[in-house]
């Protein structure tokens, strides 16, 4: 066994092995050299980097981003004291 990562779903184990052990990234961007373990990560990359879509919008100011995690960081750093 490579590690003791627990998962109940075969697909989750496959993703874990690809990202943590084999470093295989089969989903390649057609515009730049970015590659991803999961198709959803490639889709998010494409939307934020190439289509300039920014679907995650701050409810307290005009900030928007392509990444949900960036919106969370923005909210914590800019609005947590308001």
């Amino acid at each position: 066994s490579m590690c003791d990562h627990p998962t109940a779903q075969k697909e989750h184990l496959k993703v874990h092995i690809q990202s943590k052990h084999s470093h295989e990234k089969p989903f390649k961007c057609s515009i730049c050299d970015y590659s991803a373990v999961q198709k959803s990560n490639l889709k998010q990359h494409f939307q934020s980097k190439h289509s300039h879509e920014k679907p995650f919008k701050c409810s307290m100011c005009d900030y928007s981003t392509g990444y949900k995690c960036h919106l969370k960081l923005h909210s914590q750093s800019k609005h947590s004291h308001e």
Side-chain angles (χ1 to χ4, degrees):
S1 175
M2 290 184 192
C3 70
D4 58 359
H5 178 76
T7 182
Q9 295 185 7
K10 189 176 181 179
E11 189 60 30
H12 291 173
L13 180 60
K14 180 180 173 185
V15 168
H16 169 79
I17 291 170
Q18 283 178 327
S19 65
K20 304 297 182 190
H21 302 293
S22 75
H23 305 289
E24 180 185 340
K25 295 181 177 182
F27 300 98
K28 314 282 185 203
C29 181
S30 60
I31 295 175
C32 71
D33 62 358
Y34 177 83
S35 59
V37 173
Q38 293 179 282
K39 189 175 184 177
S40 59
N41 293 351
L42 176 60
K43 183 179 177 183
Q44 188 176 50
H45 159 81
F46 190 88
Q47 286 176 335
S48 67
K49 299 295 182 187
H50 302 303
S51 73
H52 306 292
E53 287 181 34
K54 296 182 176 181
F56 301 100
K57 302 186 186 315
C58 181
S59 61
M60 300 181 79
C61 71
D62 63 355
Y63 176 82
S64 63
T65 180
Y67 296 97
K68 189 176 183 178
C69 61
H70 290 180
L71 178 58
K72 185 177 180 180
L73 289 172
H74 163 82
S75 295
Q76 290 171 344
S77 66
K78 302 293 183 188
H79 304 300
S80 63
H81 296 70
E82 294 178 12

